[in-house]
């Protein structure tokens, strides 16, 4: 998906998994430019149609699609651009997070402490580089 959406999308067939932030993003940003939006029940159905040439562009979760791209089925495709999360924060918010029960300060402190420790000692970076071709921070 493009950082700068343009009128050039007016003929594109774009897809996303239904009821996801990516679907809402395409409905709000690409469809008004004339792109034809197709929603899928699962990410796997979405990827199958991209591979088969029935879609031009998809918007999907970067972690999920990078795993698919590493398979034989996904070898046809590549990530061309990353959606600008800050520019489109009305769809994507401030990023991922961990939800805890309200008032569970002990557990929150444990999570924050563990995360700080693995960032400080380099383990976070090692894990990131082992499993993802991009930063997940």
């Amino acid at each position: 998906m493009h950082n700068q959406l343009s009128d050039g999308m007016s003929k594109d067939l774009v897809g996303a998994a239904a009821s996801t932030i990516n679907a809402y993003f395409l409905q709000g940003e690409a469809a008004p430019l004339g792109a034809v939006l197709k929603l899928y029940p699962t990410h796997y159905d979405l990827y199958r149609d991209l591979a088969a040439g029935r879609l031009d562009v998809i918007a999907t979760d970067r972690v999920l699609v990078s795993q698919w791209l590493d398979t034989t089925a996904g070898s046809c495709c590549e990530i061309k651009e990353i959606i600008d999360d800050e520019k489109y924060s009305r769809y994507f918010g401030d990023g991922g997070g961990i939800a805890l029960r309200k008032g569970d300060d002990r557990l929150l402190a444990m999570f924050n402490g563990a995360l700080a420790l693995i960032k400080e000692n380099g383990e976070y970076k090692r894990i990131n580089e082992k499993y993802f071709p991009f930063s997940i921070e």
Side-chain angles (χ1 to χ4, degrees):
M1 199 66 243
H2 308 281
N3 281 331
Q4 299 294 326
L5 297 175
S6 69
D7 292 330
M9 293 194 73
S10 63
K11 296 180 178 132
D12 286 340
L13 293 171
V14 299
S19 300
T20 64
I21 57 174
N22 292 296
Y24 300 129
F25 168 74
L26 291 177
Q27 288 168 332
E29 301 296 329
L33 296 174
V36 177
L37 178 59
K38 191 168 180 187
L39 301 178
Y40 291 82
T42 72
H43 287 94
Y44 304 107
D45 296 321
L46 172 69
Y47 303 155
R48 190 174 320 125
D49 268 12
L50 178 65
R54 292 186 287 269
L55 289 171
D56 300 312
V57 176
I58 65 171
T60 188
D61 180 89
R62 194 171 7 162
V63 173
L64 291 176
V65 78
S66 68
Q67 292 170 345
W68 175 72
L69 291 171
D70 285 340
T71 68
T72 302
S75 65
C76 61
C77 304
E78 63 184 332
I79 295 174
K80 288 288 196 177
E81 293 193 43
I82 305 299
I83 297 170
D84 185 338
D85 291 347
E86 289 184 30
K87 180 177 180 179
Y88 297 108
S89 63
R90 67 184 169 279
Y91 301 102
F92 300 102
D94 295 328
I98 297 171
L100 304 171
R101 290 179 300 279
K102 286 183 180 181
D104 198 339
D105 296 333
R106 182 189 65 77
L107 188 55
L108 177 60
M110 287 173 55
F111 266 105
N112 287 339
L115 196 52
L117 176 65
I118 66 171
K119 284 183 175 184
E120 182 180 306
N121 69 17
E123 184 64 17
Y124 186 93
K125 184 178 179 186
R126 283 190 290 279
I127 292 168
N128 190 122
E129 290 173 351
K130 180 176 180 180
Y131 295 103
F132 305 101
F134 48 82
S135 174
I136 59 170
E137 192 166 353

